[in-house]
């Protein structure tokens, strides 16, 4: 027992990831029987999302101290989200154009996943208008929003409470104390739940590697490879470059600090479920102040999805090639705009990128059947997209924290036993 806890958590998590993959490969589809361990783990971290965002974001915003500073953190984060999102979609478009993943596939002759197709058609019929999307961000009932774990309106509500505390000055102090103490308590609870990570990661990896059909994987292998390549380019060039050249911090120390969120995002394929882990790593291992970390990372987990943006570009070209649809430059521009919007609108849950394809495909005339074609292998691509999305949140939070002097870099560099 003591020996178990003596090993740093991140090493236990990585070992679990590798052992999980090996177990799944040996066991095969039967590995699904231990998925329940992973589901319990996900349920535990999901449990933390609402109280953690609420306490830590309110405390964070109020402790920024003044509204001008809040604005300066906010616009920098938004700018980085949007610029990197655009680069990501164009990267997906370039990979799709030059490496043509769909050209060797005849979409009509391949087995389609009918339930995915129905879901996509259903979604197209009930497509949310832009007006609804905006309206959804307004928390008409804060309690409802919390009950539904609806993250974006929860962020808006928490921001407003934080701003209210700032405006109330002396009279707001008692409320601020409650939130600060609540946020410390939630961090402790997160620490306890994190001890389940090795077990959850092991079970989820065994399930994925055990049940993924190798046939489907072989046929669509090129798309899977390009999805991984695109994501690795985003992480290795855009994020590493951002840390090295804008934040001017050691790249290795940054990645070592976020090993936990990387492993959890990869195995759960959910930015939302990873949020508590990302927050903890940002504050504890990277030394980012609570105010910047909670603000930028909570927001990023819902709107900053560059892995998803890249994939939307790539998958649209894949579908166009598989079904013989010609796209011109105007279509590319449409895809880049809708891809970024789709990534912003995608919820941080498994498979939401797949659903967002409806938005992009519809606009440029790529058949929705493409969604049914790739649904079977989406999980394995989703895992990498999610890791990219989560790494992006940490990279933007670090960069903004450096720009605004809200980071203790000594902590990041010396964080040996994270
Ligand atoms: N699962 C991804 C996430 O949570 C979104 C996607 O499907 O691309 O970040």
């Amino acid at each position: 027992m003591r020996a178990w806890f003596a090993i740093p958590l991140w090493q236990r998590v990585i070992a679990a990831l590798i052992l999980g993959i090996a177990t799944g490969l040996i066991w095969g589809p039967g590995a699904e029987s231990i998925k329940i361990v992973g589901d319990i783990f996900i349920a535990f971290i999901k449990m933390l999302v609402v109280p953690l965002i609420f306490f830590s974001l309110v405390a964070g915003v109020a402790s920024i101290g003044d509204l001008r500073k809040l604005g300066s953190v906010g616009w920098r984060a938004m700018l980085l989200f949007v610029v990197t999102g655009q680069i990501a979609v164009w990267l997906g478009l370039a990979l799709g154009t030059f490496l043509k993943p769909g050209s060797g596939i005849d979409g009509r002759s391949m087995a389609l996943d009918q339930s995915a197709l129905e879901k996509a058609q259903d979604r197209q019929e009930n497509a949310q208008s832009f007006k609804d999307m905006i309206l959804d961000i307004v928390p008409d009932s804060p309690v409802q929003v919390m009950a539904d774990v609806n993250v974006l309106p929860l962020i808006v509500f928490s921001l407003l409470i934080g701003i209210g505390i700032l405006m109330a000055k002396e009279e707001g102090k008692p409320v601020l104390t409650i939130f600060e103490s609540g946020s410390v308590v939630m961090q402790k609870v997160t620490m306890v739940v994190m001890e389940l990570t090795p077990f959850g990661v092991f079970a989820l990896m065994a399930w994925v590697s055990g049940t993924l059909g190798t046939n489907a994987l072989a046929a669509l292998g090129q798309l899977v490879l390009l999805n991984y390549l695109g994501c690795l380019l985003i992480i290795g060039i855009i994020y590493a470059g951002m840390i090295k050249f804008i934040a001017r911090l050691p790249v290795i120390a940054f990645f070592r600090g976020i090993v936990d969120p990387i492993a959890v995002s990869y195995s759960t394929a959910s930015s939302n479920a990873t949020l508590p882990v990302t927050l903890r790593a940002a504050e504890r291992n990277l030394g980012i102040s609570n105010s910047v970390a909670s603000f930028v990372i909570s927001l990023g987990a819902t709107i900053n999805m560059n892995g998803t943006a890249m994939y939307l570009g790539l998958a649209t070209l894949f579908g166009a090639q598989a079904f013989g649809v010609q796209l011109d430059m105007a279509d590319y521009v449409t895809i880049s705009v809708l891809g970024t919007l789709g990534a912003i609108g995608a919820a941080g849950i498994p498979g939401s990128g797949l659903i967002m394809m409806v938005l992009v495909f519809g606009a440029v005339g790529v058949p929705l059947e493409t969604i049914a074609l790739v649904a079977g292998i989406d999980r394995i691509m989703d895992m990498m997209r999610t890791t990219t999305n989560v790494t992006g949140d940490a990279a933007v939070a670090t960069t903004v924290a450096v720009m605004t002097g809200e980071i203790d870099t000594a902590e990041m560099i010396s964080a040996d036993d994270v």
Side-chain angles (χ1 to χ4, degrees):
M1 190 71 171
R2 197 146 344 120
W4 173 258
F5 286 110
I7 309 171
L9 183 62
W10 69 270
Q11 290 179 7
R12 281 179 273 153
V13 170
I14 295 212
L17 194 96
I18 297 168
L19 281 177
I21 298 178
T23 308
L25 291 178
I26 297 168
W27 196 352
E32 182 153 19
S33 56
I34 57 166
K35 178 170 177 259
I36 174 140
V37 178
D39 292 339
I40 293 173
F41 166 61
I42 294 180
F44 265 115
I45 29 183
K46 269 200 187 149
M47 165 192 93
L48 300 172
V49 171
V50 168
L52 197 68
I53 293 188
F54 189 45
F55 281 115
S56 124
L57 191 53
V58 172
V61 168
S63 65
I64 280 187
D66 71 82
L67 293 174
R68 215 170 320 132
K69 185 130 190 226
L70 183 67
S72 82
V73 171
W75 78 257
R76 285 185 170 85
M78 289 306 288
L79 187 72
L80 286 173
F81 289 162
V82 173
V83 170
T84 53
Q86 268 297 305
I87 299 176
V89 201
W90 283 101
L91 173 67
L93 286 171
L95 289 173
T97 307
F98 296 117
L99 301 173
K100 300 194 175 34
S103 60
I105 287 184
D106 177 5
R108 308 245 167 241
S109 71
M110 283 200 55
L112 296 182
D113 179 337
Q114 286 307 327
S115 70
L117 185 60
E118 274 157 29
K119 239 191 249 159
Q121 279 161 345
D122 206 45
R123 154 100 205 181
Q124 194 181 33
E125 272 156 30
N126 302 316
Q128 253 195 342
S129 68
F130 193 64
K131 237 167 51 196
D132 295 335
M133 244 168 91
I134 303 278
L135 215 54
D136 256 3
I137 299 176
V138 184
D140 54 352
S141 153
V143 178
Q144 185 75 43
V145 161
M146 289 187 194
D148 294 343
V149 197
N150 205 346
V151 180
L152 213 49
L154 177 61
I155 292 174
V156 173
F157 181 65
S158 310
L159 267 175
L160 286 173
I161 300 281
I163 291 172
I165 293 176
L166 279 180
M167 292 170 68
K169 299 205 170 82
E170 275 310 306
E171 277 174 294
K173 287 270 159 67
V175 180
L176 176 59
T177 311
I178 294 176
F179 277 97
E180 278 172 345
S181 144
S183 137
V184 175
V185 171
M186 284 314 299
Q187 282 166 23
K188 299 291 174 208
V189 180
T190 309
M191 221 169 88
V192 176
V193 172
M194 284 296 293
E195 287 299 329
L196 297 174
T197 316
F199 307 101
V201 166
F202 172 82
L204 289 169
M205 290 315 299
W207 162 63
V208 173
S209 66
T211 52
L212 212 68
T214 38
N215 289 347
L217 200 61
L220 300 168
Q222 217 186 346
L223 180 66
V224 176
L225 282 183
L226 287 184
N227 172 79
Y228 272 71
L229 176 66
C231 285
L232 288 174
L233 287 175
I234 295 176
I235 295 176
I237 297 180
I238 305 182
Y239 299 154
M242 207 149 98
I243 296 298
K244 190 165 166 58
F245 298 110
I246 307 185
R248 297 188 180 283
L249 288 171
V251 176
I252 304 282
F254 167 77
F255 283 108
R256 198 178 48 193
I258 57 166
V259 164
D260 286 346
I262 287 180
V264 173
S265 58
Y266 191 71
S267 53
T268 60
S270 167
S271 298
N272 275 2
T274 314
L275 199 142
V277 187
T278 323
L279 261 179
R280 179 168 177 270
E283 290 178 29
R284 248 185 61 133
N285 308 344
L286 303 180
I288 301 176
S289 73
N290 167 264
S291 47
V292 169
S294 55
F295 180 42
V296 177
I297 289 180
S298 314
L299 197 62
T302 21
I303 67 170
N304 181 41
M305 299 205 176
N306 294 339
T308 308
M310 186 282 304
Y311 181 65
L312 286 173
L314 176 65
T316 312
L317 287 189
F318 171 82
Q321 288 153 6
F323 289 94
V325 178
Q326 294 297 331
L327 299 175
D328 58 22
M329 200 55 202
D331 291 325
Y332 274 49
V333 173
T334 310
I335 299 169
S336 84
V337 174
L338 291 180
T340 316
L341 283 180
I344 292 175
I349 54 174
S352 63
L354 194 72
I355 300 300
M356 281 300 153
M357 289 179 179
V358 175
L359 178 82
V360 188
F361 289 3
V364 293
V366 169
L368 291 187
E369 276 78 3
T370 310
I371 299 176
L373 194 61
V374 297
I377 46 155
D378 187 61
R379 175 79 189 198
I380 194 155
M381 295 192 283
D382 194 2
M383 299 192 318
M384 191 65 214
R385 297 199 298 262
T386 311
T387 298
T388 312
N389 297 344
V390 166
T391 307
D393 300 336
V396 171
T398 306
T399 309
V400 172
V402 168
M403 287 171 164
T404 51
E406 293 279 334
I407 191 167
D408 175 2
T409 45
E411 196 142 341
M412 172 163 163
I413 294 158
S414 70
D416 256 335
D417 62 342
V418 291

